[in-house]
Amino acid sequence: MKPTVGENIFQVFLVIIISLLCIVTIYPFIHIASVSLSSPSEAMRFGFHLYPKEIDLTAWKQVLSQKKIWIGFGNSAFRTVVGTGLTLFVMALCAYPLSRKYLPHRSFYTMIILFTMFFGGGIIPTYLLIKDLYLMNSLWVYIVPGLIPTFSMLVLRNFFMSIPVELEECSKIDGANDIRILFQIVLPLSKPVLATLALWTAVGHWNSWFDAVLYISDQDKQVLQFFLREIVITNADAETFGRSVVGNIKYEPGIKAATVIFAILPILIVYPFLQKYFVKGTMIGSLKG
């Protein structure tokens, strides 16, 4: 059917709104990238930065030459890769039995886990618990406390519930046990939701810094986002008194911008490989409750 005038107007209005949202979303990245590639004088210029008038890699050279930046990068990479892998593994072991109707008291266990989404002990009790578990100043403090994100686990459980039970029954007739069914049948069919949850978990690990402030005192175990915060925020106050928090250089806008781009680049590189699974995994995992 031929669209009406009102429908055409709505489509034009929709395109305009989406275009404006895209510009508002993309421009900050363009601005920061342009500042990081500009000369110090150009980087300090007030106003819009759509492209560098003259490419200057001085800021990037100073950022990449700092040892602490690479230490933070390595620690962030460790917590992201290991944390994401262990989280997916443990979530699968937890979500699969909760998705089976024959599990005794399944609803009770689910409610107990759901309770943790809304109520927590707070910063001080959590700090005392971490201390009693001997996780203070350890790289494992980045991974163990948040090993099972409740919301992600429930999404994975709902996805498992959407898999036909007949597949499991046929496998059991052929002699397969629950472990084999999970790893050879259920998980291969769950690639969309696993990719989605992996992206959520990886972004959370990569961007996290508050746990590093609370539980880590050794500078060699700090994550990249901690040093980014020191450069972009804390160092701004420190320079007022003539000192620098990280390294011995003065952090001009170009260096701060280069550090920000360096910190977000790995996730921007990984995202396109998981993007095709993202919408599908999110929608399917939310169909059944």
Side-chain angles (χ1 to χ4, degrees):
M1 296 177 61
K2 185 177 180 180
T4 63
V5 176
E7 291 175 339
N8 289 330
I9 294 175
F10 176 76
Q11 290 293 332
V12 173
F13 178 77
L14 192 62
V15 169
I16 294 174
I17 293 297
I18 293 177
S19 300
L20 291 175
L21 289 175
C22 289
I23 293 173
V24 171
T25 303
I26 295 174
Y27 172 72
F29 294 98
I30 297 176
H31 175 87
I32 294 297
S34 175
V35 171
S36 70
L37 295 172
S38 300
S39 60
S41 59
E42 174 63 18
M44 296 181 68
R45 177 179 62 83
F46 180 78
F48 294 98
H49 291 260
L50 294 176
Y51 60 90
K53 293 183 178 180
E54 181 181 353
I55 296 180
D56 190 333
L57 299 179
T58 303
W60 278 97
K61 291 178 181 178
Q62 293 193 56
V63 169
L64 298 179
S65 64
Q66 293 190 73
K67 181 181 178 181
K68 289 186 177 181
I69 293 294
W70 288 106
I71 291 175
F73 181 87
N75 292 332
S76 290
F78 169 80
R79 75 171 295 177
T80 300
V81 174
V82 177
T84 301
L86 286 178
T87 295
L88 291 178
F89 177 74
V90 176
M91 278 198 307
L93 295 181
C94 181
Y96 179 67
L98 290 176
S99 67
R100 303 298 94 178
K101 294 182 178 180
Y102 53 78
L103 176 70
H105 311 297
R106 182 183 65 153
S107 299
F108 174 76
Y109 297 142
T110 304
M111 289 301 300
I112 292 296
I113 295 173
L114 186 63
F115 182 85
T116 63
M117 284 184 60
F118 305 103
F119 302 96
I123 293 179
I124 295 178
T126 303
Y127 181 89
L128 296 176
L129 175 62
I130 296 298
K131 184 178 179 181
D132 291 341
L133 292 175
Y134 299 99
L135 291 175
M136 295 293 294
N137 208 33
S138 169
L139 289 177
W140 292 105
V141 77
Y142 296 137
I143 299 172
V144 175
L147 196 58
I148 304 181
T150 305
F151 177 77
S152 298
M153 193 279 294
L154 292 176
V155 170
L156 185 60
R157 165 188 171 270
N158 294 343
F159 186 92
F160 287 165
M161 292 175 64
S162 67
I163 297 177
V165 182
E166 290 76 14
L167 291 176
E168 180 180 349
E169 294 174 349
C170 293
S171 302
K172 287 186 175 181
I173 292 175
D174 292 336
N177 56 25
D178 290 326
I179 297 297
R180 187 172 182 180
I181 292 172
L182 173 62
F183 287 99
Q184 294 189 0
I185 297 176
V186 176
L187 290 183
L189 294 174
S190 306
K191 289 181 181 179
V193 72
L194 289 175
T196 302
L197 298 180
L199 181 61
W200 290 354
T201 306
V203 171
H205 274 299
W206 186 263
N207 290 335
S208 183
W209 61 272
F210 191 60
D211 50 0
V213 175
L214 291 177
Y215 309 127
I216 301 295
S217 57
D218 189 351
Q219 291 287 306
D220 290 336
K221 295 179 181 178
Q222 292 290 357
V223 293
L224 179 61
Q225 302 299 331
F226 173 84
F227 294 118
L228 173 62
R229 177 180 178 273
E230 295 295 291
I231 292 172
V232 175
I233 300 177
T234 308
N235 196 77
D237 297 330
E239 286 178 357
T240 305
F241 302 97
R243 60 188 178 87
S244 181
V245 175
V246 184
N248 298 315
I249 62 175
K250 185 178 180 181
Y251 290 95
E252 303 291 350
I255 297 178
K256 295 179 181 180
T259 308
V260 171
I261 294 296
F262 180 76
I264 65 176
L265 201 57
I267 293 297
L268 291 179
I269 294 175
V270 171
Y271 178 75
F273 296 98
L274 301 177
Q275 192 258 349
K276 64 180 180 179
Y277 298 109
F278 188 76
V279 175
K280 182 179 178 182
T282 305
M283 294 300 295
I284 294 178
S286 62
L287 288 179
K288 235 178 180 182

